Amino acid sequence: GDQQADWNGLRQQVNAVLSISASGFSSWGGDIGGYFGKPTQDLYRRWLQFATFTPLMRAHSNFYGKDPWNYGDASVKTFQTCYWLRENLLDTIYSSALISNKTGEPMVKSMAFAFPDESGLAAVDDQYVFCNALLVAPVLTEGAYYRTVKLPRGMWYDLWTGEAQTGDRTITAYAPPQQTPVYIQAGAVLSGKV
């Protein structure tokens, strides 16, 4: 936690997420927009998108307000989309938390952890699986509208468009400022109770 409000800080937060999850901690949260300093509007939106797919989604800082209305109308719209999505994933997140409590299985898994039989994914350190169903590829580069995503074997569906993608390959995913690439694994259940 306590990352700087810059692009390196966001990358550090993603690395911290994967590390702490692999170390047995399932319930944690970061600081949307970084703890120290004031992020740009682009960075704030990307951090907000990332936080949507973590166990605890929260805004916190040492000085600058990290509420969306401090970062312009586009940030407010991104927050509305992210918060709506988060609210609709609550059953999935809650179920994943219960499974984690019972089994010790993390809610966030690195690609190596989630797909141990796919050696080509072992070195991927900038995407992860959330709640055993969502492959999340946070945008970690300023001004990016695209990013590469390594899809594991099987079928994957774009969360935003529903477009099917065949796995076991690398794709270039569209990543406009208002959304980060997220894919649903074929057969995944995104709601329900344990």
Side-chain angles (χ1 to χ4, degrees), residues 155-165 182-187:
M155 289 299 296
W156 296 86
Y157 296 90
D158 186 302
L159 175 69
W160 309 106
T161 67
E163 181 183 352
Q165 295 284 348
V182 179
Y183 294 88
I184 304 167
Q185 188 171 22

Side-chain angles (χ1 to χ4, degrees), residues 23-188:
S23 299
F25 293 89
S26 283
S27 294
W28 45 261
D31 304 315
I32 295 171
Y35 185 76
F36 295 106
K38 185 174 182 179
T40 64
Q41 289 182 15
D42 185 31
L43 176 60
Y44 179 82
R45 287 192 305 269
R46 294 306 189 178
W47 215 310
L48 180 61
Q49 294 161 8
F50 160 68
T52 302
F53 301 98
T54 62
L56 301 175
M57 181 182 179
R58 72 175 191 148
H60 177 63
S61 72
N62 70 327
F63 182 75
Y64 295 102
K66 295 296 172 31
D67 299 308
W69 48 85
N70 293 325
Y71 299 92
D73 291 342
S75 295
V76 171
K77 287 181 182 178
T78 299
F79 175 80
Q80 289 169 331
T81 299
C82 289
Y83 192 75
W84 177 88
L85 179 59
R86 180 77 179 194
E87 284 293 306
N88 283 279
L89 288 174
L90 282 182
D91 284 347
T92 298
I93 295 167
Y94 182 72
S95 295
S96 185
L98 289 175
I99 291 167
S100 181
N101 180 266
K102 291 177 181 179
T103 67
E105 182 179 311
M107 293 174 68
V108 170
K109 295 178 184 174
S110 68
M111 299 304 286
F113 190 97
F115 304 97
D117 296 334
E118 297 190 46
S119 60
L121 298 174
V124 177
D125 63 358
D126 63 350
Q127 62 185 58
Y128 57 90
V129 175
F130 183 54
C131 295
N132 287 324
L134 299 165
L135 189 152
V136 182
V139 175
L140 305 173
T141 306
E142 184 173 10
Y145 275 71
Y146 295 89
R147 70 150 285 169
T148 59
V149 178
K150 290 190 178 241
L151 294 175
R153 293 181 205 122
M155 289 299 296
W156 296 86
Y157 296 90
D158 186 302
L159 175 69
W160 309 106
T161 67
E163 181 183 352
Q165 295 284 348
T166 304
D168 199 20
R169 65 190 179 113
T170 300
I171 64 169
T172 300
Y174 182 51
Q178 66 274 16
Q179 68 191 42
T180 199
V182 179
Y183 294 88
I184 304 167
Q185 188 171 22

